[in-house]
Amino acid sequence: GAGVSQSPSNKVTEKGKDVELRCDPISGHTALYWYRQSLGQGLEFLIYFQGNSAPDKSGLPSDRFSAERTGGSVSTLTIQRTQQEDSAVYLCASSLGQAQETQYFGPGTRLLVL
Amino acid sequence: AQSVAQPEDQVNVAEGNPLTVKCTYSVSGNPYLFWYVQYPNRGLQFLLKYITGDNLVKGSYGFEAEFNKSQTSFHLKKPSALVSDSALYFCAVRGGHTGRRALTFGSGTRLQVQP
């Protein structure tokens, strides 16, 4: 079946602009995760959604970052007033709801802030 | 807090030789351990995981990993390396059933298999 998809695959923006990144999880997966991969920081957790529960936002680096998940499926990660240090690859993953389930990753969105 | 250490930035091995990519972890309670592989400009691909049971876990593409509780290690192995195995490998951990759901990743190890 279809895997996790993300759009756009690449995004170039100017410092100070807002960006939206989209993730379509695997159908039937109730858990959705956002991670960020950057040269200096490696792979970092950002935010986690599980069903109708309140999201775990403990990894968001600043209040410029927010995410929502509509209808328990598609998720959008929004970065306001982008900074150059936001340049990274943003990865989305999804899994079935149980704790031991594997997280399957999308191809990522490469964000470059000029 | 949970953490993962991958002590080698790069591992070089000749094709046909066995390979090992090292990983040690720290987590409260029983760990759930994962290995992922990343090819250039691609997302992470799942290789294998340890949840419970047999300490030797077999995964995709002939890879296996051994969970060692006393050494808090989960090294990735393959008996005979292929040039196509050259990629970036990540070890990840999360606390067991009641731990934080997000994965904590190691810094990654680049595997280079020479023909």
Side-chain angles (χ1 to χ4, degrees):
Chain A
V4 177
S5 61
Q6 293 185 245
S7 61
S9 54
N10 290 282
K11 177 72 176 179
V12 181
T13 191
E14 294 178 347
K15 178 182 173 181
K17 296 284 181 69
D18 297 352
V19 295
E20 284 190 352
L21 312 180
R22 176 187 168 104
C23 172
D24 282 89
I26 294 171
S27 177
H29 280 192
T30 58
L32 187 147
Y33 306 78
W34 284 97
Y35 294 87
R36 178 169 72 173
Q37 184 175 21
S38 57
L39 281 176
Q41 301 297 323
L43 269 158
E44 308 170 89
F45 162 71
L46 296 176
I47 188 169
Y48 157 61
F49 297 90
Q50 171 60 58
N52 294 322
S53 302
D56 176 357
K57 303 180 182 179
S58 61
L60 294 178
S62 79
D63 58 8
R64 296 186 296 104
F65 287 73
S66 62
E68 62 178 21
R69 189 177 185 192
T70 53
S73 181
V74 170
S75 177
T76 302
L77 176 69
T78 301
I79 308 173
Q80 296 179 311
R81 305 180 303 281
T82 53
Q83 303 294 312
Q84 289 182 332
E85 62 262 28
D86 299 335
S87 297
V89 176
Y90 289 82
L91 294 166
C92 177
S94 71
S95 72
L96 294 170
Q98 298 302 310
Q100 69 271 26
E101 295 298 336
T102 300
Q103 295 178 28
Y104 293 95
F105 284 78
T109 294
R110 187 175 299 273
L111 175 66
L112 178 61
V113 182
L114 300 177
Chain B
Q2 53 197 41
S3 64
V4 175
Q6 292 182 244
E8 302 152 317
D9 289 337
Q10 181 156 326
V11 169
N12 298 307
V13 64
E15 187 174 32
N17 283 1
L19 69 87
T20 299
V21 182
K22 295 179 181 177
C23 171
T24 58
Y25 67 89
S26 174
V27 70
S28 298
N30 293 322
Y32 291 171
L33 293 154
F34 300 79
W35 276 102
Y36 287 84
V37 59
Q38 186 175 37
Y39 295 98
N41 300 315
R42 304 279 294 275
L44 301 177
Q45 293 182 33
F46 169 71
L47 279 179
L48 51 80
K49 67 181 177 183
Y50 172 82
I51 302 300
T52 187
D54 194 350
N55 289 343
L56 184 64
V57 178
K58 294 186 183 296
S60 306
Y61 313 119
F63 284 93
E64 58 189 30
E66 185 165 14
F67 170 64
N68 187 315
K69 188 172 183 177
S70 63
Q71 297 186 3
T72 61
S73 67
F74 190 56
H75 301 332
L76 181 70
K77 300 182 179 185
K78 187 174 182 181
S80 179
L82 299 173
V83 172
S84 58
D85 293 330
S86 298
L88 188 57
Y89 290 80
F90 289 96
C91 181
V93 70
R94 53 148 300 189
H97 186 71
T98 57
R100 192 178 84 160
R101 294 294 182 98
L103 293 172
T104 296
F105 287 87
S107 55
T109 298
R110 187 165 301 281
L111 174 66
Q112 193 69 40
V113 181
Q114 285 112 12

